[in-house]
Amino acid sequence: MAVIEVEGLRKEYRRLRGGPTLALDGLDVSVPEGGVFGFLGPNGSGKTTTIRCLLGLVRASSGRSRLLDAGPRELHTVIGRVGSMVETPQFFPNFSGRRNLELLARLDGIGRARVNETLDLVGLGSSAGSPFRTYSLGMKQRLGLAAALIKDPELLILDEPANGLDPAGIKEIRDLVRRLGSEGRTIFVSSHLLGEVQQMCDRVAILARGRLVTEGPVADVLAGGRASRLVVQVAPLEAALETLRSADLDATLDGHHILVQLPAEDAARVTEVLADARMYVSELRPEEIDLETVFLELTRSDGDATG
Amino acid sequence: MVVEIRRALSRRLVRVLVLVALLGIVIIAIGAFATSDPDAADAFSPADIWTPELDQSSDAAIVGGVSFLFLLMALLGGASVIGAEYKAGTITTLLTWEPRRLRVIGAKLAAAAIVAAVLFLVLEALLAGALAPAAVVRGTTEGADDDFYRSLAGFLGRGALLTGGCAVLGGAIATVGKNTTAALAVVLGYIVIVEQILRGLRPGWNAWYLGENLGIVLTGERLDDVVRSVPGAAAVLLFYLGVFVAVTLVVFARRDVT
Ligand SMILES: Nc1ncnc2c1ncn2[C@@H]1O[C@H](COP(=O)(O)OP(=O)(O)OP(=O)(O)O)[C@@H](O)[C@H]1O
Ligand SMILES: [Mg+2]
């Protein structure tokens, strides 16, 4: 069973002045149970809007969204199993972090011990007594995370949890998310930080302009529909290029090295061809594709298609 | 609900309002004690305190005025219960814990009503206690008979209902306007400006104005030129409140929380 299911979701924000904004334009996403699912998209692509629709904060213009098999009207039957954090969470400025958390916890009959435990978990134990208004952005973010975690939820929905955290904090959150994901929980985490998603997630969905661009295991998305290439470093470059081409290999010159369309397993073929021509490679490795390249390519081409 | 009541009571604005009310009570009591002359014909008496006819002696006017202030405070306090959530932006978090919006607002409005009504009774009791020395020592206790206590009970009951209603009204306006002070501005603006203009244009409609009906229920007496009984006025107010709360609930249930 999919933990989150979104089908053809459309959302048009209407405002008193100015035209409507199309935030979601027929989005489809399906999040399987267990593991960390990355929800990746550039600014304004509709990540937060999707999360708001799922949590019933915003009413979709059309389409379907289901959370733990409950539609927007039955949300209350499953909300106790869902922890969430939408954008930078807000709390009462004059109450301490602990007090704010206790107010929420009491709604679900969660006790003080669990509040303190959660505060420690997010590294807020020492400053939990200070008023929320004195918190830094990172501390606010941590308190939001604590509020999401306190129910010990089976599904966690986190909207850019690393926002505003320092590098140490980002790593901490990443480790925490990974650990929670490996405990059998499902974590749906939105981000525009590609490196984050790459290191943290099992699966990823990429969206642009309110639509799904691609979805799948991170490794597959990285390979994303193109042949893998080998980077070859050899001298002299021009002669090597000719030799490779005459051996029927798809080789191109790219700056100070040659790119050959071949999977990594066939790297020996390159060495062989070049060695036959008495040229010896100084470097031979598979081209590293990172999510960033894929992401930029995908979101750009989508833009061209829609104008 | 209990959570909401506790939350309302811990609200800073609510505490400030209560403090202001207590201070006001002390000042009024001292004033009454200082100005009352036991031998004069208008010596301070229980009747002065609890028969808040708006057009009578100055002591009674004080009580009428005080009760009106209590109503405004209830309005403001009720509004703050919801306005504060909007101001802090915590409404999002709250709704991710309880997505049934009618429950969220219902619990808040009910808590506001209960807190306001109970505070009204407590404060009026304190006011009575504070004024008692003036009546006993420097006024007269004559007239503190069964009739007096009956009208007193009636006044307290009606006042508690009105304060509760005002708190609900404040909360409802704050829900629609996403703002605490909007509630006060809207209600005062309506009563002081809109109804005043309407009164000039359509004096015949006075049985339907908020101001008149509030006056009737608060004093528990018919107004000279208004064809409305006390229960009738209460029914009119309740009807207005009901319609307004219903509209509020619909607006809030459909609203995008972003
Ligand atoms: N309350 C609102 N009223 C009008 N338009 C809105 C509102 N909220 C979002 N939008 C618009 O909807 C689109 C999607 O916004 P959304 O916040 O979902 O993007 P996002 O992917 O979360 O972006 P980011 O990475 O910056 O957080 C944007 O074009 C935005 O301008
Ligand atoms: Mg966002």
Side-chain angles (χ1 to χ4, degrees), chain A:
Chain A
M1 184 199 78
V3 170
I4 294 176
E5 260 189 292
V6 170
E7 268 176 44
L9 202 64
R10 256 176 61 87
K11 174 63 193 177
E12 222 173 47
Y13 284 110
R14 292 176 183 286
R15 274 169 298 185
L16 289 180
R17 269 179 297 168
T21 315
L22 189 61
L24 293 176
D25 186 14
L27 179 74
D28 301 295
V29 182
S30 172
V31 178
E33 193 177 341
V36 185
F37 190 101
F39 194 48
L40 197 58
N43 290 139
S45 54
K47 301 181 296 291
T48 302
T49 302
T50 308
I51 288 173
R52 286 188 192 275
C53 282
L54 282 169
L55 293 171
L57 294 170
V58 150
R59 184 189 275 260
S61 309
S62 66
R64 238 168 60 100
S65 74
R66 295 183 82 75
L67 201 62
L68 294 174
D69 225 20
R73 292 188 172 283
E74 308 118 41
L75 263 185
H76 60 96
T77 57
V78 296
I79 203 76
R81 294 150 61 199
V82 181
S84 59
M85 178 174 121
V86 186
E87 290 187 329
T88 300
Q90 299 299 319
F91 294 92
F92 289 114
N94 294 324
F95 289 171
S96 70
R98 176 178 291 114
R99 185 80 201 286
N100 267 298
L101 215 49
E102 277 171 4
L103 280 177
L104 279 174
R106 227 180 269 152
L107 289 175
D108 270 21
I110 296 168
R112 224 161 254 222
R114 175 72 190 152
V115 170
N116 289 329
E117 191 184 319
T118 316
L119 283 167
D120 287 337
L121 184 67
V122 299
L124 217 52
S126 56
S127 41
S130 328
F132 179 71
R133 77 184 123 82
T134 64
Y135 282 17
S136 70
L137 179 58
M139 288 159 78
K140 289 179 178 173
Q141 205 75 9
R142 283 163 196 263
L143 187 62
L145 203 58
L149 286 170
I150 196 169
K151 288 190 245 180
D152 194 17
E154 62 190 78
L155 169 62
L156 254 175
I157 298 181
L158 304 175
D159 191 9
E160 312 211 10
N163 193 16
L165 293 179
D166 53 29
I170 291 179
K171 181 170 183 324
E172 230 175 277
I173 297 300
R174 189 200 305 145
D175 294 345
L176 179 63
V177 165
R178 278 245 57 101
R179 201 180 77 224
L180 293 167
S182 63
E183 283 170 1
R185 284 175 233 261
T186 312
I187 295 149
F188 182 75
V189 51
S190 90
S191 177
H192 53 239
L193 297 176
L194 308 133
E196 274 308 301
V197 170
Q198 202 161 0
Q199 292 177 56
M200 188 163 70
C201 300
D202 307 308
R203 292 178 74 87
V204 62
I206 297 183
L207 82 166
R209 290 172 200 80
R211 281 191 214 204
L212 183 75
V213 178
T214 186
E215 198 254 282
V218 172
D220 293 3
V221 170
L222 283 179
R226 58 164 144 183
S228 43
R229 298 191 290 191
L230 295 169
V231 178
V232 184
Q233 195 70 262
V234 62
L237 270 181
E238 296 293 334
L241 190 64
E242 278 311 303
T243 313
L244 288 168
R245 281 186 175 159
S246 57
D248 259 353
L249 288 169
D250 183 355
T252 47
L253 194 62
D254 181 40
H256 298 291
H257 51 249
I258 297 170
L259 290 175
V260 184
Q261 293 271 7
L262 265 188
E265 307 88 84
D266 298 340
R269 178 115 169 77
V270 173
T271 350
E272 189 192 327
V273 169
L274 289 176
D276 285 350
R278 302 201 149 270
M279 281 182 272
Y280 301 100
V281 296
S282 56
E283 187 187 355
L284 178 62
R285 59 177 168 84
E287 183 189 25
E288 271 171 31
I289 322 165
D290 59 0
L291 207 42
E292 180 145 18
T293 317
V294 180
F295 179 76
L296 289 176
E297 261 173 28
L298 287 171
T299 52
R300 196 183 310 123
S301 64
D302 184 74
D304 292 344
T306 53

